[in-house]
Amino acid sequence: MNRHRYDNWQGATAARGFTLIELMVAITLGILVSVGLITVFDAVSTNNKVQQQLSEMQENGRYAITRINNDLRLAYRQISNTTGYSGLQTPGANGAVNLGVAPDVYATAGIPFPDGTVTAPTGWKATTTHWPLSPKYFISGTVPTYVPAASSTTAGARVPGSDVITMHYLNSEGWSSYNNEVTFTCTGAFLTSVVVTPLTTPAAYKSPVANFAAGNLAMLTSTSGDESIFPVSAAGSSASQTLTPLVASMINAANKVRCPGSGEVKLFNFSTDFITVTYWLKLVADPQVTSPPRFIPTLVRSQRDNTGVGPQDLELVQGVEQMEFRYGAQRANGQVEFVTAAAVTTDSSAANCPAPPLSFSDINFFTTVPTYETGCLWRAVKSVEAHILVNSINNLYTLGRDEQNYTYFDNNFTPASATATMPSTGLTAGSMMRREFITLVSVRNYNN
Amino acid sequence: MRCYRSSSFHAGRERGAVLFVSLVFLVLITLLALTATSTSILQERMTGGVHNSQLALMGAETTLRGAEWNIWNKSNGAAGSNKLHCSPTGGVTNDSCYTDQAGVNATILAFRNAKNWLGTSGDGAKAYATSTLSYGASSAQASASLESTPRYLMEDLGKVLPPNAPSSGQGAARLAIGSVAAGAQTLYSYRITARSTGGNQGSVRAAESNFVALPPSH
């Protein structure tokens, strides 16, 4: 360049410099163009960040709602769930009401659900062989003991003001008499033993191996409508096990498990296959922001079985900062109302609850006339509506007020400032976007 | 400016600079655009996947409900020709209703458990096609049509008895419907399995329910 310029200066006597005007115009134009470019770049860059956060938020919300949806669709699931006449209907002013079906429990120790052991209902005669397990235990809005206390300032705590849902369902196809996997012997009307030989062919559809341990609860059902849950002792290998009712752990020492009825007979390991799933929101400390600490509300799915071991707590989705459920419980008159978990419990009166499963109305089994159970409306939840509020996790301080506006339960909100607290959860608002996701699930296994 | 340029630069040697610089920028912008496109293509695909699986789910649920309605309808109709035909091999007039299961029935097992679409021949099931609804590629709403007509299979599971009832005799109570009397009648349970594809066979969903009705086949 030097050489080039030198040549130029030397040889071109007519060469001119820039006049001041030229320079000024050039600089002004340059500045204008630069400012324009910078503005455009800034806008594109901000827009890009917003778009990215939006799509991440969309993705998170979609995933969270899909997972909740999948579990809700299975809530209550037992194998003899029926629709149609169900054989057990009563007419209500607003439509037919299906009666629930309660499995018979033969175990002394009750059912060790992780969210609370279930024992015989109040007033049940101790001299009988079994008691009915009310379907009201299969879905619940109360906070189980394995979910931490609520706090908006402690890592690992549950988000205040957010709902918790727990559901129980059979998470297995079990073993079927139709495939010769289950054979049983009875003495008179009562069961002597069950042999389970899991199907190994065809290979694509083989069943799980027989996994009964001594003291596990077996669930034996038939499509004619009976379900028995009883402790067993197991002999044999995973290819074939012989199960015998464990008399020592049963209410009646005379070994009175009812012989299964006609149709398809299915066997399940109730201890491992009847799982408990809880969804709740947990505050997870942000590793990148420590002083002052920042917490990311995270959707957690806790899965447990009835053996007391092997809990699986999975942090599913970050940025879920509020979660609420509305339960569509069918009243005795056939009407379905969408109410909160607390209202389902408080509305559980004799006037509201549909009639209990038949075994509850049998006076022979009770010492006194049976009353409606506490929380009886929980057995009438026909559909569940889930609302979650998902945020964009990270603060983006360039966001305008209107971009931070969001709708939740048909109400419009805009956080006043980045340091404001969010309604009911008490979390710091930050500067982020929020969107509500809703799902309405028909609990088709309702009549169990 | 023209004068300055012509005297300052050696024409013919540096002319290509503009072309070169613009090419570089073009490549950069293309890369940027491609990245953005691939991100949005991924999003599109995920949306398509969700759409597909929703279609399959709705197909399966509709078929299930249709089959339930069919049983219910027949159970309230006149006796005789309006029967559900069930047999150990799937029914005499292809109602795909199986009864008296003993031993491993690979057809039913496959239909209830397969993760892929089984096709229309030899799956032992029946197409859910009604006069008012048409599924399949020929449908006018191309974005909402299913790849294949959904298929369903029924199993007659036998009598339903209330808990603690004797294993013989009458079953549970039944509501009065139309001219049909209410009261204790022997009810039978049917298990219906419905399977449906989405817009393509990438999504297959199955739905299953137990449905109790007065016996249209007994």
Side-chain angles (χ1 to χ4, degrees):
Chain A
M1 281 302 275
N2 264 346
R3 183 177 165 77
H4 173 79
R5 272 167 80 186
Y6 179 76
D7 285 352
N8 199 15
W9 282 99
Q10 284 290 311
T13 45
R16 299 175 290 134
F18 300 113
T19 65
L20 186 61
I21 304 292
E22 276 177 337
L23 215 58
M24 292 291 280
V25 168
I27 288 172
T28 314
L29 280 178
I31 285 173
L32 276 178
V33 169
S34 305
V35 166
L37 276 178
I38 288 167
T39 316
V40 168
F41 177 78
D42 189 55
V44 168
S45 154
T46 312
N47 195 28
N48 187 40
K49 277 181 195 159
V50 171
Q51 286 301 326
Q52 202 169 342
Q53 288 211 343
L54 263 176
S55 68
E56 272 176 24
M57 198 163 62
Q58 187 72 27
E59 177 63 17
N60 285 348
R62 185 191 65 76
Y63 183 64
I65 220 80
T66 308
R67 290 299 296 259
I68 294 175
N69 213 332
N70 286 351
D71 276 313
L72 277 176
R73 285 173 66 84
L74 285 166
Y76 281 109
R77 180 175 184 260
Q78 301 173 68
I79 207 61
S80 58
N81 295 138
T82 55
T83 52
Y85 295 127
S86 83
L88 303 162
Q89 281 183 331
T90 54
N94 301 296
V97 183
N98 287 346
L99 288 189
V101 175
D104 297 329
V105 180
Y106 292 82
T108 322
I111 299 294
F113 281 138
D115 60 335
T117 298
V118 178
T119 50
T122 318
W124 191 254
K125 276 183 186 171
T127 50
T128 55
T129 54
H130 62 269
W131 47 271
L133 174 63
S134 171
K136 76 163 185 168
Y137 293 107
F138 294 165
I139 196 161
S140 154
T142 47
V143 183
T145 47
Y146 47 83
V147 170
S151 163
S152 55
T153 51
T154 316
R158 186 168 65 82
V159 174
S162 64
D163 281 354
V164 169
I165 192 169
T166 302
M167 51 222 137
H168 303 265
Y169 61 86
L170 267 177
N171 189 30
S172 164
E173 277 310 307
W175 300 281
S176 161
S177 67
Y178 274 8
N179 304 329
N180 288 347
E181 294 175 298
V182 177
T183 51
F184 53 90
T185 49
C186 291
T187 310
F190 303 110
L191 184 77
T192 314
S193 67
V194 186
V195 178
V196 50
T197 315
L199 198 64
T200 50
T201 53
Y205 314 123
K206 64 180 180 187
S207 302
V209 295
N211 60 349
F212 285 90
N216 273 3
L217 293 170
M219 184 184 203
L220 196 61
T221 75
S222 83
T223 49
S224 67
D226 58 77
E227 287 178 281
S228 306
I229 300 168
F230 52 94
V232 291
S233 56
S237 68
S238 59
S240 179
Q241 279 189 322
T242 304
L243 311 175
T244 322
L246 192 59
V247 181
S249 306
M250 281 167 52
I251 298 169
N252 196 313
N255 185 11
K256 297 282 189 189
V257 176
R258 190 156 69 117
C259 190
S262 57
E264 184 187 31
V265 175
K266 283 200 119 177
L267 176 74
F268 298 89
N269 186 339
F270 193 80
S271 294
T272 58
D273 293 344
F274 206 77
I275 61 165
T276 303
V277 174
T278 305
Y279 280 96
W280 56 285
L281 301 182
K282 178 186 181 181
L283 285 184
V284 177
D286 183 352
Q288 285 163 352
V289 186
T290 47
S291 175
R294 196 176 89 91
F295 303 109
I296 302 171
T298 304
L299 179 68
V300 179
R301 178 188 189 268
S302 302
Q303 180 182 322
R304 281 161 169 76
D305 61 19
N306 300 324
T307 59
V309 293
Q312 296 170 17
D313 287 3
L314 213 60
E315 289 178 8
L316 285 184
V317 177
Q318 289 190 328
V320 181
E321 64 171 46
Q322 178 61 294
M323 174 166 71
E324 283 181 74
F325 295 97
R326 292 291 178 272
Y327 299 89
Q330 191 180 30
R331 309 294 205 259
N333 62 7
Q335 199 177 335
V336 177
E337 281 176 32
F338 279 88
V339 291
T340 60
V344 175
T345 306
T346 52
D347 288 356
S348 293
S349 64
N352 283 334
C353 287
L358 278 185
S359 31
F360 279 88
S361 55
D362 192 334
I363 187 66
N364 295 324
F365 292 140
F366 284 90
T367 50
T368 54
V369 176
T371 52
Y372 279 75
E373 328 145 77
T374 329
C376 54
L377 207 55
W378 280 103
R379 64 168 180 251
V381 173
K382 290 197 96 169
S383 44
V384 182
E385 191 178 271
H387 294 249
I388 58 172
L389 184 64
V390 180
N391 67 29
S392 49
I393 305 171
N394 292 315
N395 285 318
L396 196 62
Y397 291 104
T398 48
L399 285 178
R401 299 241 65 79
D402 53 341
E403 284 170 312
Q404 294 184 47
N405 182 281
Y406 65 95
T407 313
Y408 187 63
F409 269 101
D410 286 341
N411 286 317
N412 260 305
F413 298 95
T414 309
S417 70
T419 50
T421 51
M422 296 293 291
S424 72
T425 61
L427 300 173
T428 310
S431 181
M432 51 182 84
M433 289 175 291
R434 291 175 170 82
R435 290 290 179 273
E436 183 190 21
F437 290 81
I438 305 170
T439 184
L440 174 61
V441 183
S442 165
V443 183
R444 283 205 72 183
N445 297 315
Y446 152 73
N447 164 42
N448 46 80
Chain B
M1 290 293 271
R2 182 178 280 254
C3 172
Y4 170 73
R5 270 173 71 188
S6 62
S7 62
S8 139
F9 292 96
H10 296 280
R13 261 184 65 196
E14 309 242 352
R15 279 265 163 100
V18 174
L19 182 66
F20 180 70
V21 170
S22 59
L23 277 178
V24 166
F25 272 97
L26 194 67
V27 167
L28 280 177
I29 290 168
T30 313
L31 279 179
L32 210 75
L34 278 180
T35 322
T37 321
S38 70
T39 315
S40 56
I41 283 177
L42 189 67
Q43 293 282 337
E44 282 283 314
R45 280 186 182 157
M46 287 195 292
T47 313
V50 172
H51 174 70
N52 227 353
S53 98
Q54 290 286 344
L55 274 182
L57 178 68
M58 283 190 274
E61 291 272 15
T62 310
T63 308
L64 197 64
R65 201 66 194 142
E68 285 177 354
W69 178 81
N70 200 16
I71 293 180
W72 186 87
N73 201 32
K74 284 186 174 177
S75 73
N76 285 288
S81 59
N82 192 21
K83 276 178 71 175
L84 187 67
H85 300 280
C86 296
S87 84
T89 51
V92 282
T93 54
N94 192 22
D95 266 337
S96 70
C97 178
Y98 295 76
T99 186
D100 304 327
Q101 293 308 307
V104 180
N105 188 324
T107 309
I108 297 179
L109 213 53
F111 193 78
R112 292 185 62 207
N113 295 289
K115 289 184 170 60
N116 58 322
W117 185 244
L118 293 170
T120 53
S121 62
D123 65 349
K126 190 183 180 184
Y128 177 68
T130 71
S131 54
T132 49
L133 292 169
S134 78
Y135 293 99
S138 62
S139 170
Q141 285 81 27
S143 66
S145 73
L146 306 178
E147 202 260 355
S148 304
T149 310
R151 299 182 70 79
Y152 68 97
L153 176 150
M154 292 184 275
E155 292 164 84
D156 182 343
L157 299 174
K159 278 182 189 175
V160 177
L161 300 162
N164 303 318
S167 57
S168 62
Q170 300 257 285
R174 171 180 188 269
L175 290 179
I177 297 156
S179 59
V180 184
Q185 301 180 39
T186 307
L187 300 171
Y188 282 73
S189 176
Y190 296 87
R191 177 165 58 214
I192 307 153
T193 309
R195 289 163 64 80
S196 172
T197 56
N200 60 44
Q201 290 183 11
S203 258
V204 176
R205 292 191 76 155
E208 194 165 89
S209 79
N210 284 8
F211 189 77
V212 175
L214 265 188
S217 64
H218 290 267

